[in-house]
Amino acid sequence: MDQPLTVPPGRDVRLADFDPDFHEGLDREAADKETREHLDALDGLAYRLFAEAKRAVVVVLQGIDTSGKDGTIRMLASGISPQCLDVRSFKAPSALELAHDFLWRVHAAIPPHGRIGVFNRSHYEDVVVVRVRKLVPKDVWRDRYTQINAFEKLLHDGGLTFVKCFLHISKREQRQRLEDRLKDPKKQWKLGPDDLEDRKRWDDFQNAYDDALTECNTHHAPWHVVPSDKKWYRNLVVARLVRTTLERLDPKFPPFDSSLIMKLD
Ligand code: ADP
């Protein structure tokens, strides 16, 4: 059994068509083993990207509350050297950020050549949460799809590769995770009133994501819908995607200046 992760650009993305519990028939042990292999390979690939210092990668993590963005970052960071990683979180914008265009803070967070950025939320909040919570008028967020596509093209042409992951969980799985957080003193701090309010607007969020994933699914920066009800399968898919991306980039160590050998006294 297989389930495509991507939809060809130009076609409608409907999250309802994707099974959030899909796991290729794998069990946890097999998935964890494969994830570990991808992470081992990734460490070397990230090191080469760092040494080459000509291109960069940004892994965008989006998803509804509790979809597993933090856990995915922990997984990537468990395999890739911190000097090659640049983790950024996008919260509700500050007064300074709101005094600029919506992409200002995102552009400032783009990693320099050689690094892998991991975005915990991103500019997609500006077409999803702002739409659902009615923080800006419709004609403002609607124009942002085109603005985002142009922004991502600019970065792509400058040597940046996006790996855009939508962590897809079911409404039932979210309930379970919220309940776990409510009961666990080590997780309660993660919950705010907005999380429970946003759950009431589940369908609005799914619709907003359907549109964002459809409108901003481009050849230069495609979206991947990652089945995420099983955390271990989500980890496997993201590790695999990032590894495949870096293998495609095939970063090279800079040429060695052999005259240096003569200079060692
Ligand atoms: P997280 O849920 O990512 O672990 P928080 O609980 O601090 O972290 O939530 C961050 C909040 O900031 C989320 O509710 C998210 O929707 C909100 N947010 C992020 N970007 C924007 C934005 N551009 N406009 C409004 N709200 C935003």
Side-chain angles (χ1 to χ4, degrees):
M1 193 185 151
D2 208 5
Q3 173 170 270
L5 284 180
T6 48
V7 172
R11 293 229 203 113
D12 281 359
V13 179
R14 291 286 156 248
L15 289 173
D17 297 339
F18 292 82
D19 176 8
D21 195 36
F22 178 75
H23 51 92
E24 280 173 50
L26 291 171
D27 62 16
R28 182 180 185 147
E29 197 185 334
D32 284 349
K33 184 167 173 283
E34 193 187 323
T35 301
R36 202 61 252 166
E37 285 162 15
H38 293 315
L39 287 172
D40 288 347
L42 258 177
D43 195 31
L45 286 159
Y47 185 64
R48 276 202 269 142
L49 187 82
F50 185 72
E52 180 194 73
K54 287 195 176 141
R55 292 167 293 174
V57 171
V58 167
V59 182
V60 171
L61 300 175
Q62 281 290 158
I64 214 93
D65 287 322
T66 75
S67 58
K69 300 181 287 294
D70 294 353
T72 307
I73 294 170
R74 215 174 307 121
M75 178 275 297
L76 288 171
S78 75
I80 303 174
S81 163
Q83 73 173 343
C84 305
L85 271 188
D86 230 331
V87 179
R88 298 298 179 102
S89 294
F90 293 91
K91 309 275 182 189
S94 67
L96 179 67
E97 288 167 347
L98 282 173
H100 291 81
D101 69 88
F102 77 103
L103 291 169
W104 179 73
R105 66 175 182 164
V106 186
H107 211 160
I110 295 295
H113 291 162
R115 306 279 282 274
I116 301 174
V118 185
F119 284 5
N120 183 346
R121 305 185 186 270
S122 66
H123 40 302
Y124 285 95
E125 294 293 316
D126 295 284
V127 286
V128 174
V129 74
V130 299
R131 165 178 169 177
V132 175
R133 293 193 198 145
K134 298 190 169 46
L135 300 176
V136 300
K138 181 171 183 181
D139 54 346
V140 171
W141 60 254
R142 218 183 25 204
D143 283 350
R144 289 181 174 170
Y145 299 131
T146 319
Q147 292 158 355
I148 287 174
N149 288 341
F151 172 67
E152 291 180 354
K153 178 81 168 60
L154 167 85
L155 294 166
H156 169 267
D157 292 351
L160 185 86
T161 301
F162 278 101
V163 185
K164 299 192 300 194
C165 300
F166 178 78
L167 307 183
H168 184 35
I169 59 167
S170 60
K171 195 173 181 190
R172 208 180 55 185
E173 177 66 19
Q174 191 200 39
R175 192 178 192 293
Q176 184 62 50
R177 294 186 188 185
L178 287 171
E179 205 180 307
D180 290 349
R181 284 190 185 180
L182 284 166
K183 286 186 192 150
D184 183 348
K186 288 206 233 64
K187 290 188 182 163
Q188 283 161 345
W189 69 273
K190 279 193 169 199
L191 274 176
D194 279 350
D195 296 329
L196 300 177
E197 279 309 307
D198 283 351
R199 178 171 165 82
K200 296 202 178 96
R201 290 181 273 199
W202 176 272
D203 290 340
D204 295 341
F205 272 98
Q206 299 291 304
N207 289 337
Y209 270 118
D210 279 350
D211 289 348
L213 269 60
T214 298
E215 298 292 333
C216 301
N217 187 30
T218 55
H219 289 287
H220 57 268
W223 269 105
H224 306 278
V225 179
V226 179
S228 298
D229 270 6
K230 299 216 167 7
K231 296 175 182 175
W232 44 264
Y233 186 67
R234 172 206 74 206
N235 283 346
L236 167 59
V237 172
V238 175
R240 205 192 256 161
L241 272 172
V242 181
R243 176 186 182 174
T244 315
T245 303
L246 279 163
E247 280 179 344
R248 212 180 47 240
L249 292 176
D250 191 18
K252 302 271 188 295
F253 288 114
F256 177 60
D257 174 3
S258 54
S259 72
L260 286 177
I261 293 174
M262 312 299 287
K263 293 186 182 144
L264 180 66
D265 58 14

